[in-house]
Amino acid sequence: MLIIGVLALQLGFITSYIGAFHQPKPTDIPLAVTAPTTAAAERAVRELAALPGDPLDPSAAPDEATARARIARRDVDGALILSPAGPDRLLVASASGASLADALTAVVARAEKARGRTVDVVDVVPDAPGDARGLTSFYLVVGWCVGGYLCAAVLAISAGARPANPARGLIRLAVLLLYAIVTGLLGAVIAGPVLDALPGSVPALWGLGTLLVFAVGALTLALQGLAGIIGIGLAILLVVVLGNPSAGGAYPYPLLPPFWRAIGPALPPGAGTYAARSIAYFRGNGALGPMLVISAWAVGGAAVTMVCAVLRRRATERESPHGAAATAATAAPGSGPGPGA
């Protein structure tokens, strides 16, 4: 059965990654549109919204300053600035993912060409020189997630999948928290000052890493408490098989198929990747929601771990009186065979 489980995880991994990445298609990319007049902006919004396949989700902005502010807040992924004299300008943020900026540029360029106009592209939030294609945030988050479930798995291998009592459960959570604090800091320092691959506040990234490692580890401990050693496989299913391809790393959410686009923000890798990019490039804008998602996994995982520990202790206590009674009966005088046996 364990080998069959491994086979299922392997095939799930192949299916999930290829399914998510084999045919990226832009869908509902948020785009601000501004023009000299409100009527012109609204007309452009209607035209862009009617493009085949719904690649854009355009909305009017009163001026360029407002459009830039919406990009900085991560409310939109780009802005089209219409100019009567031409050429128009497309503002993109490659820090949100180079593949997303490329897809947005391609869609808008085709639309502008169909209208007989040209467009210049301006990257208003570029990724750092050491952050090729904006993937450092994703790989940092993947590393943190791997550490979280491996730490919990090692605790299961060394001391049993299920903690015997609440005290043991608290010890495991305390060890996991200490590990999360250390690896959260080391990951932020390696990605930032050491390799110069990711800008942004090291303390903020440290906090994110600590929370993320603890959340994934607590989730793994909880699944182990519910399903024993099989819980490690279930954690890999959620975090690696489903979570990594839907995290918005190589292809941000608007480029993913509907299933992966829907689950990505609710899983730790997706929430972590979005928050890491927000901290690194957008002054933390947009990070609150993902941080709350990760916090929910952390609190839920810790709570389930402790509940499983309490229930196991009670089950052990219910069984122990029978064992004690049997032992007493066996040891009682006259309970065994007589001297002439």
Side-chain angles (χ1 to χ4, degrees), residues 273-315:
T273 299
Y274 196 93
R277 281 176 172 160
S278 294
I279 291 170
Y281 293 107
F282 298 91
R283 299 184 178 180
N285 290 323
L288 177 59
M291 293 289 279
L292 291 176
V293 170
I294 301 170
S295 299
W297 283 105
V299 172
V304 171
T305 298
M306 293 305 300
V307 169
C308 289
V310 170
L311 293 177
R312 189 177 184 201
R313 183 190 64 181
R314 290 179 179 176

Side-chain angles (χ1 to χ4, degrees), residues 11 34 44 66-67 110 152 177 187 208 224 230 246 273-274 278 288 316:
L11 296 180
T34 182
T66 302
R110 285 196 301 268
L177 178 58
L208 170 63
Q224 290 170 176
I230 296 174
S246 66
T273 299
Y274 196 93
S278 294
L288 177 59
T316 303

Side-chain angles (χ1 to χ4, degrees), residues 105-118:
T105 299
V107 170
V108 172
R110 285 196 301 268
E112 289 282 275
K113 184 177 180 180
R115 297 171 59 221
R117 300 182 62 84
T118 58

Side-chain angles (χ1 to χ4, degrees), residues 60-336:
D63 51 47
E64 181 176 340
T66 302
R68 286 176 175 265
R70 291 175 66 183
I71 294 174
R73 293 195 305 267
R74 306 204 73 180
D75 294 335
V76 297
D77 292 317
L80 179 60
I81 313 300
L82 299 177
S83 172
D88 298 332
R89 287 180 298 133
L90 175 65
L91 311 183
V92 299
S94 60
S96 293
S99 58
L100 178 58
D102 292 344
L104 180 59
T105 299
V107 170
V108 172
R110 285 196 301 268
E112 289 282 275
K113 184 177 180 180
R115 297 171 59 221
R117 300 182 62 84
T118 58
V119 60
D120 292 336
V121 180
V122 181
D123 194 348
V124 294
V125 190
D127 48 28
D131 185 12
R133 305 289 294 174
L135 292 174
T136 299
S137 300
F138 171 61
Y139 289 123
L140 175 60
V141 165
V142 168
W144 278 331
C145 289
V146 168
Y149 66 72
L150 283 183
C151 179
V154 166
L155 290 173
I157 293 171
S158 63
R162 296 182 175 95
N165 52 57
R168 299 281 181 85
L170 280 175
I171 290 172
R172 293 190 185 195
L173 289 171
V175 170
L176 175 63
L177 178 58
L178 179 61
Y179 176 84
I181 292 171
V182 173
T183 56
L185 174 61
L186 293 178
V189 169
I190 290 171
V194 173
L195 297 179
D196 196 24
L198 197 66
S201 167
V202 170
L205 289 172
W206 179 14
L208 170 63
T210 299
L211 180 60
L212 185 62
V213 173
F214 183 81
V216 173
L219 166 64
T220 307
L221 288 176
L223 292 173
Q224 290 170 176
L226 292 170
I229 199 71
I230 296 174
I232 298 175
L234 296 177
I236 293 174
L237 173 65
L238 282 175
V239 177
V240 179
V241 174
L242 295 176
N244 285 354
S246 66
Y251 295 111
Y253 298 140
L255 303 183
L256 294 176
F259 173 75
W260 288 268
R261 186 167 64 246
I263 66 172
L267 295 176
T273 299
Y274 196 93
R277 281 176 172 160
S278 294
I279 291 170
Y281 293 107
F282 298 91
R283 299 184 178 180
N285 290 323
L288 177 59
M291 293 289 279
L292 291 176
V293 170
I294 301 170
S295 299
W297 283 105
V299 172
V304 171
T305 298
M306 293 305 300
V307 169
C308 289
V310 170
L311 293 177
R312 189 177 184 201
R313 183 190 64 181
R314 290 179 179 176
T316 303
E317 290 174 348
R318 285 195 300 269
E319 295 170 0
S320 60
H322 301 292
T327 302
T330 302
S335 60

